[in-house]
Amino acid sequence: MAQRTFLSLVRWELEEYLSLPVLAFLVASAIVAVLAQSNTVSPMPGRAYINLYNGSDTVMLIMTIGAGAFFARTYAGSISRGETKIMLSYPIKRWQLFFSKFTAMFLIIFVIYGATYSMHFYLDGIALSEPMFFVTLLSFLLQLMLACSFSIAVSMVTKSEIMSILAAVLLLMGIDSVVGTQGYFSAQGRLYYLFQYYGELTHGSPPLGDQFIVTANDVTVAVLFPAVVTVLLLIGSYVYFTRYLEVD
C-alpha cells in the first residue's frame, strides 16, 4: 500500500510539474547545451573522447540552472501555493511527499541530460564502450545531486519559488566562478580530476596534459565532497519538512 501510494505521488509530480510544454523546454535546453560546444572538436585521430570534456561545461551550467529552477518550483512553489497543505490533507506521509518530489525531478532531469549527451557518440564518432563517457556521466550525476540538494535546502528556508531559484543557482554558479576549473568545489574541477585520472588508466596518458599528477586521493575527494554535502543537506531538509514545516 505504501509503495503504491509513493508511486502514485511520483506520477502525480511528473504530470503536475513536467507537462508537455515544460518537458519540451527541458529536452530542448539539453539539446542546445550539447550542440553549443559541438564545434570544440579535437582533430587528432583517436582523441575524440577529449570532446566529452570540452563539451561538458555548457551542459553542466544549463543542467544546474534547470535543476535549481525545477526543484525550487516543486518544493518552494508547492509550499507557497498551498499545494503541500492540500496534499498532506490526504492520507499520505510527509516522507512520501518529500521523496516522491525528489525522485520524480531527479530521475527525469538526469535521464534527459544523460540521454541527450549521448549525442557525442554520433557527433564525435566515439565508441559505445568509451569509458570516459561514463566518467562524464558520473560528474553530471554528482553536480545534479549537489544542485538538487542546494535547491531543496534553500526552498525549505525561503518557501519562495523565485528566491529559491535565484539563491540556489547564484550560489552554485558563484562557487564555480570563484574556485575555477581545477578545484574540488567546482563542477568542472571535479570533472577535471575524474577525467585526468581515469583517462590515464584507460588510455595510457592524461587526456588534458600532465600539468600535475592526479592521484586516487584527488578523485576520492572529488567524489566524496558533493556526495557528503548532498547527504547532509537532504537530511536537514528532510527533518525540517517532516517535523517542523508548518503548512496550516
Side-chain angles (χ1 to χ4, degrees):
M1 184 62 180
Q3 182 180 5
R4 185 183 307 171
T5 301
F6 180 78
L7 293 177
S8 297
L9 287 171
V10 171
R11 184 173 62 252
W12 182 86
E13 289 291 332
L14 293 174
E15 294 174 351
E16 179 70 15
Y17 295 103
L18 287 173
S19 55
L20 185 56
V22 177
L23 182 61
F25 173 79
L26 186 60
V27 174
S29 69
I31 294 175
V32 170
V34 172
L35 296 180
Q37 291 184 317
S38 61
N39 61 336
T40 57
V41 296
S42 170
M44 301 178 63
R47 300 292 296 278
Y49 61 90
I50 297 180
N51 300 329
L52 293 171
Y53 180 85
N54 293 334
S56 64
D57 191 16
T58 303
V59 175
M60 284 195 285
L61 173 63
I62 296 180
M63 182 180 69
T64 299
I65 295 174
F70 277 97
F71 272 80
R73 184 167 181 259
T74 191
Y75 281 91
S78 177
I79 294 172
S80 63
R81 290 190 297 269
E83 293 175 0
T84 299
K85 178 179 179 180
I86 295 175
M87 293 299 295
L88 292 177
S89 66
Y90 293 97
I92 60 175
K93 304 294 185 181
R94 289 198 176 203
W95 71 264
Q96 293 175 323
L97 184 59
F98 181 89
F99 283 113
S100 65
K101 290 177 176 292
F102 179 85
T103 301
M105 294 296 113
F106 186 88
L107 288 180
I108 198 68
I109 293 174
F110 182 71
V111 168
I112 287 176
Y113 275 88
T116 305
Y117 200 68
S118 65
M119 292 171 60
H120 277 284
F121 288 127
Y122 171 76
L123 294 173
D124 303 320
I126 297 173
L128 294 177
S129 59
E130 174 56 59
M132 303 312 294
F133 172 78
F134 301 100
V135 169
T136 310
L137 282 188
L138 173 61
S139 182
F140 287 172
L141 178 65
L142 295 173
Q143 178 63 12
L144 181 58
M145 288 166 51
L146 202 58
C148 295
S149 59
F150 262 105
S151 184
I152 295 172
V154 172
S155 296
M156 295 297 103
V157 174
T158 66
K159 302 181 182 67
S160 168
E161 183 176 344
I162 300 300
M163 288 298 296
S164 297
I165 294 174
L166 292 175
V169 172
L170 291 178
L171 179 60
L172 288 167
M173 293 176 62
I175 292 175
D176 278 13
S177 177
V178 171
V179 174
T181 60
Q182 293 186 3
Y184 298 116
F185 304 112
S186 70
Q188 201 66 16
R190 288 189 292 273
L191 177 59
Y192 178 85
Y193 288 113
L194 292 171
F195 217 83
Q196 286 286 80
Y197 184 77
Y198 289 105
E200 185 172 8
L201 286 180
T202 57
H203 294 279
S205 62
L208 308 174
D210 54 355
Q211 297 95 320
F212 60 90
I213 299 176
V214 176
T215 66
N217 289 335
D218 294 323
V219 174
T220 301
V221 175
V223 173
L224 284 182
F225 167 72
V228 171
V229 172
T230 296
V231 170
L232 292 177
L233 289 176
L234 284 180
I235 290 176
S237 300
Y238 171 78
V239 171
Y240 180 81
F241 187 87
T242 56
R243 294 180 180 271
Y244 302 105
L245 179 64
E246 297 181 2
V247 294
D248 296 331

